[in-house]
Amino acid sequence: MFLIDHVCLKTGLNTDEVRMILADVRDDWDSCKEISDSEYSLIEQSVQNINTALPEGRAITPVNPEEMALPLQQKLVENASEVLGFPLALQIHQEIQMIDALTTAKNRAILGIVESKRLELNNALHLQSEADQQAFVGAMHQLLGVCPKHINDDTVQKMQASANKTNQTIAELMSLMGK
């Protein structure tokens, strides 16, 4: 028989980790103080499996699960399930799949709302553009009413005719004078 505290010292695991390994083999895994030789062997085997699964010379640093990508979280749960054989890992894996499905549905809903709002904006911009164009055409019509019509300016022709008439009169007077 081994005390849980003694097992923790020998394996480097904490009490909760040791108890989790016992979860599949003991009903009182969460409160037991002593374990049998076979249970101790199971814990040693689990520690060896964990150590062989880790790259040599690297320490495990805790990572916030929210900072990990969902596929990486799923892979970690699958690996833990294989190494430790916890039914809890299967439940976690299922929860991750449910969260993934919920996140996918939420993202699709958000994209649908964004697309709907974009369509509303495009329609509003189109209507505003048409209203602006109609206002521009109306303003042009109003300006046409104010602008003077094109008037034929025959002033130059009248001046030329008047000058020609004056020159002819001067020529006639000069011829009468004998020049």
Side-chain angles (χ1 to χ4, degrees):
M1 296 298 266
F2 293 92
L3 292 174
I4 295 284
D5 293 337
H6 179 70
V7 172
C8 291
L9 288 174
K10 287 189 90 170
T11 61
L13 299 174
N14 65 37
T15 305
D16 291 334
E17 292 168 332
V18 169
R19 291 179 191 274
M20 289 302 292
I21 294 171
L22 296 172
D24 284 340
V25 294
R26 286 188 68 146
D27 292 333
D28 65 339
W29 61 272
D30 58 339
S31 62
C32 66
K33 303 280 185 211
E34 293 181 339
I35 60 171
S36 67
D37 291 343
S38 62
E39 292 166 339
Y40 180 74
S41 295
L42 174 68
I43 292 170
E44 277 188 325
Q45 181 184 5
S46 295
V47 170
Q48 288 173 354
N49 289 343
I50 291 171
N51 289 336
T52 57
L54 295 175
E56 218 172 293
R58 290 198 177 164
I60 299 175
T61 55
V63 176
N64 183 352
E66 294 175 4
E67 295 174 2
M68 268 192 265
L70 193 58
L72 179 59
Q73 291 180 28
Q74 289 174 328
K75 188 65 178 167
L76 287 173
V77 169
E78 288 171 11
N79 289 347
S81 176
E82 288 176 19
V83 172
L84 303 175
F86 291 153
L88 179 62
L90 298 175
Q91 180 184 354
I92 291 170
H93 183 67
Q94 182 61 35
E95 286 180 25
I96 288 173
Q97 287 181 336
M98 291 181 339
I99 290 169
D100 184 36
L102 180 63
T103 302
T104 300
K106 180 180 76 171
N107 289 344
R108 286 184 183 163
I110 289 170
L111 290 174
I113 291 169
V114 167
E115 187 62 31
S116 173
K117 293 299 180 183
R118 185 177 297 143
L119 182 61
E120 286 178 29
L121 176 62
N122 287 344
N123 286 334
L125 289 172
H126 174 70
L127 292 173
Q128 184 63 46
S129 174
E130 283 189 356
D132 290 347
Q133 290 175 28
Q134 288 175 355
F136 176 77
V137 169
M140 292 299 290
H141 282 293
Q142 287 178 351
L143 288 175
L144 283 176
V146 176
C147 291
K149 303 288 186 232
H150 180 65
I151 302 171
N152 285 337
D153 189 8
D154 58 350
T155 307
V156 173
Q157 295 166 345
K158 289 180 185 177
M159 287 176 68
Q160 188 68 41
S162 178
N164 287 340
K165 189 175 178 185
T166 302
N167 287 342
Q168 186 179 8
T169 304
I170 292 174
E172 288 172 5
L173 290 174
M174 293 288 278
S175 78
L176 288 176
M177 293 171 116
K179 282 195 168 185

